[in-house]
Amino acid sequence: MDGTYNLYIVALSVVIAILASYSALNITSQIWEANGKSKFFWLLGGALVMGSGIWSMHFVGMLAMHMNMEVKYDVPLTIISMLASVISSFIAFYITMPKDINWFKIAIGGLVMGSGIVTMHYIGMNAMIMSADIRYDPGLWVLSAIIALVASYAALLLFLRFRHRGKTSFGKWGSAVIMGFAVCGMHYTGMKAARFESHAGMIMEQSQSMEFFLLYSVTVTIFVILLVSWGAMFFDRHVLEKLAFQDTITGLPNRNEMNRFFETHSGTEEISILFVDLDQFKAINDTLGHNVGDLLVQEVGKRLSRFIHNGQQVFRIGGDEFLIILQQSDPVYAQQVAEDVLEKIKNVYHIDGNELYVTASIGVSIGCVHSSDRTTLLKNADTAMYKAKRLGKNQQCLYSEEMGIQEVRKMELEKDLQRALELREFFIVYQPKWNVRTDRLVGFEALIRWRHPRLGVVSPLEFIPIAEETGLIIPITRWMLEEACKQSKAWQERGIIQPVSVNLSIRLFQSDNLIELVQHVLEMANLKPHLLELEITESMVLHDVNEVIRQLGSIRALGVKVSMDDFGTGYSSIGLLDRIPIDALKLDRLFTNDLDTPSKRAIINAIVLMAENLNLDVIAEGVENKEHIDFLTELGCHVMQGYFYGKPMDIHEIDIWIYEHEHKVEETGFFEDKKVEVT
């Protein structure tokens, strides 16, 4: 016996299959983007929508057939048929969930889902309670199973294709239509395979009211399921996604959205990264408050949002850090965009009654967006940004391989610097100072060196800035003071009474225990204060003028001498020279390199005259030949330091140098002066 179909209900079953497929496509995009427990939630939701949608389509399709007999359904078998559809969908989604998926897993997933659909269909058929037996056409039965497997395999391929597409698209709707018709094709092929053989004398008219009641119940159920799934998608996309992927202060995409961008562009295309960091932002937060800092970040975000258009995206990835991604790899264009960003950011800000001027530093890197290169790309941009800050801020810097090598070396030095003191890798060299008027030695300058176990001797120009940044300069300077004072005492015991000078960092003045430290090392070495000299730089004074002057005054009160090193190369402190408690000025080698220049000689002469009026001695650094000595002596400078008299030497070389000079001019006895003054 064959039944007849209600075409309207058949059309409804097709619509249900299409809507269920579309909902499943939407939810699968959430499965692969979710993390942790939320991934399981979306996995279960996708399985429920897909499985119940196919089951409901099957049930509506059953109701579409009118067989002129009363048909009821076995409730347990009906529930089992639905579970078969949902569970097989869950397993198939789980198998194909990993990001790196291969054809074998897709085939296994398609087999599981197809088998579940076939099982659901024929259990549902077996759940029919009626006055007839069901026989199946083997050929059509096999065909229905093949259609189910092919449809499932195609469905998983479509899920994988749209796993990263969160928004509605014609392609997704087209895929849902294909999936819906494939599922319906399987169902109606399976129905065609069924032959109903009625029991003799048991045929009766079907109750139409019951049929429509069941139809309405299933229809309402499936639309409730679809409504819930679409509601979850809407809530996720417009509420949860906004919270998770949008910065609350600026409204710009946040770090999560940046990571999602990289996930969706994991090919071999090259892009440009602009890492933007505001200069002196912490000072604004500390002085004006975090509310003003937040408002400033908000205004910066508004200005940067103007750079969002086709091929360009802007993200806020930290407190005062932003990232601009350009989907092209032209370094000239990337640097031009960086210059435009700097111009926009540095314009005045009027915030909460404050007029703020803020600049930024930008690091630019260009490279492949492939997942294996992504971290390197971001790190390179960060490296270039810090380079821009070291160049003076309010600049942009393009990353280069040479820069990367330098940064790797710097990181290695920073790491090893932590243990260098402990492992006794530092040593001190001493450079003599000479008074040409008296032709006598007038002291030594102690200079630190680092004998790295792998890199050899590392210049202080490399590791001192790192020590300054990390704060390690404090224990390093303490060690230097102790060693230099011990050495000066050892020379004194040999009859060589010469002062030794040590360079100080501004970090020592900020530590609030500099005076106690100086007293401690003098007492520990049992050294008289006038045999220790401390050298500062003129820019150091400008950090906190009054505090530095106070501490220098206390140091000189102990009897320790103070000199200003590299005078004339940093921020000018001429206006403060009459207030700063120092004993001498040290002219940087910048002045001695081209003494034949009239303008340079005029500057040195002016400095010497000024120093004489302030009762300060003048020491010239970088003296390398007799011509330098003659010029400087003519200009009134008599104390000199440089390679002409001696390079920086370790303690063994210094002993040889002293021995040679001691015997060369033994009759003068200048090494035996009991009190040495720089004159």
Side-chain angles (χ1 to χ4, degrees), residues 471-485:
L472 291 170
I473 193 67
I474 295 177
I476 289 174
T477 306
R478 183 186 299 114
W479 175 82
M480 273 197 71
L481 283 169
E482 292 173 355
E483 293 297 311
C485 288

Side-chain angles (χ1 to χ4, degrees), residues 111 136 162 175 214 241 297 304 313 377 446 507 566 588 670:
L111 177 63
Y136 293 99
F162 291 104
S175 300
L214 292 173
E241 183 170 338
V297 168
L304 292 181
Q313 297 196 51
L377 191 61
R507 289 288 194 122
D566 300 333
D588 188 77
F670 66 82

Side-chain angles (χ1 to χ4, degrees), residues 218-229:
V218 173
T219 303
V220 169
T221 301
I222 187 58
F223 275 107
V224 167
I225 292 173
L226 295 176
L227 184 63
V228 169
S229 67

Side-chain angles (χ1 to χ4, degrees), residues 280-298:
Q280 303 298 333
F281 179 73
K282 185 177 184 300
I284 293 174
N285 263 344
D286 293 343
T287 56
L288 300 178
H290 288 273
N291 60 319
V292 173
D294 288 345
L295 291 173
L296 173 61
V297 168
Q298 189 177 64

